[in-house]
């Protein structure tokens, strides 16, 4: 158990819909990361938040957005869903991002299926 | 453009022998490297990391070697155990850029009893 929790575990929805994925980091971790793992693309970095502020952005679609709240939990919002958004979405957390200290601990993931 | 590559999609090893998993990268800005292990239906689990100022890091049965000039790293598992059977991902992090991880495609390791 990494200490990172994600809900829900599974989500099935229809094209055009909007969903919210939730992540609670390990106790004491200030940084949260979101990754997408689809069948043909491996693990892809989406976005990072540090202490409530966006810190880095990867290949995140404009239809996707995220935020980190004062209690440090994070939500990833996916809207206008398409079939190709079906994937595993992982959240990870780390303590203080910095040189030589970037071990990220991953949650169990949310499996999103868009029908 | 894959900046981190694991060219072997799978590897089969006998229990007790050495497992060697390889990873190549192209981005010279990467300065921190990590290995993760992943079981089905679970998130990746951190195994071991290495900074670019080192060429070797050991933790129990796991050793990571880094060859900066060749932009190559490897994970050695000695001795291999059936419980090591999983998908292994190498990941790299660039200097200062928010610590985002770029992952390789993974290598499925099967350790036979």
């Amino acid at each position: 158990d990494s200490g990172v929790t994600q809900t829900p575990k599974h989500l099935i929805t229809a094209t055009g819909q909007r969903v919210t994925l939730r992540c609670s980091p390990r106790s004491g971790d200030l940084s949260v990361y979101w990754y997408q793992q689809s069948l043909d693309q491996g693990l892809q970095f989406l976005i990072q938040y540090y202490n409530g502020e966006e810190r880095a952005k990867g290949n995140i679609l404009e239809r996707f957005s995220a935020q980190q709240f004062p209690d440090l939990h994070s939500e990833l919002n996916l809207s206008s869903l398409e079939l190709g958004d079906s994937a595993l979405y992982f959240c990870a957390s780390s303590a203080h991002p910095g040189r030589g200290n970037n071990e990220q601990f991953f949650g169990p993931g949310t499996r999103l299926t868009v029908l | 453009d894959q900046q981190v590559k694991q060219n072997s999609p799978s590897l089969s090893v006998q229990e007790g022998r050495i497992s060697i998993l390889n990873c190549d990268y192209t981005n010279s800005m990467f300065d921190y490297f990590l290995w993760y292990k992943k079981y089905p239906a679970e998130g990746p689990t951190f195994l071991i990391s290495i900074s670019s100022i080192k060429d070797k890091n050991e933790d129990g049965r796991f050793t990571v070697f880094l060859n900066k000039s060749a932009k190559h790293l490897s994970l050695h598992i000695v001795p291999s155990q059936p419980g090591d059977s999983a998908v292994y991902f190498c990941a790299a992090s660039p200097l200062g850029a928010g610590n985002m991880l770029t992952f390789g495609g993974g290598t499925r390791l099967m350790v036979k009893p």
Side-chain angles (χ1 to χ4, degrees), chain B residues 17-31:
Chain B
R17 306 294 290 268
I18 184 171
S19 295
I20 300 176
L21 297 99
N22 294 303
C23 180
D24 297 294
Y25 62 96
T26 57
N27 189 339
S28 301
M29 298 298 287
F30 289 147
D31 74 336

Side-chain angles (χ1 to χ4, degrees), chain A residues 61-86:
Chain A
L61 299 171
E62 282 190 17
R63 300 183 284 108
F64 296 1
S65 64
Q67 53 184 326
Q68 187 179 26
F69 295 86
D71 66 353
L72 300 177
H73 91 271
S74 176
E75 292 181 356
L76 179 68
N77 301 297
L78 316 176
S79 61
S80 303
L81 285 167
E82 300 175 0
L83 295 177
D85 297 328
S86 296

Side-chain angles (χ1 to χ4, degrees), chain A residues 9 33 35 37 42-45 48 55-58 88 90 97-109, chain B residues 31-32 34 36 38 41-46 49 51-53 89 93 95-105:
Chain A
K9 197 168 176 63
Y33 311 75
Y35 293 85
Q37 185 183 25
L43 274 154
Q44 302 279 323
F45 169 73
Q48 177 198 1
R55 183 175 169 123
K57 223 168 185 177
L88 270 166
F90 289 104
R99 199 175 180 126
N101 185 26
N102 192 28
E103 289 81 15
Q104 295 177 24
F105 295 87
F106 283 75
Chain B
D31 74 336
Y32 198 70
L34 307 91
Y36 284 84
K38 187 178 181 305
E42 293 184 13
T45 301
F46 169 72
S49 61
S51 163
S52 60
I53 60 174
F89 291 95
S93 179
L95 282 165
N99 308 113
M100 56 173 279
L101 294 178
T102 301
F103 282 85

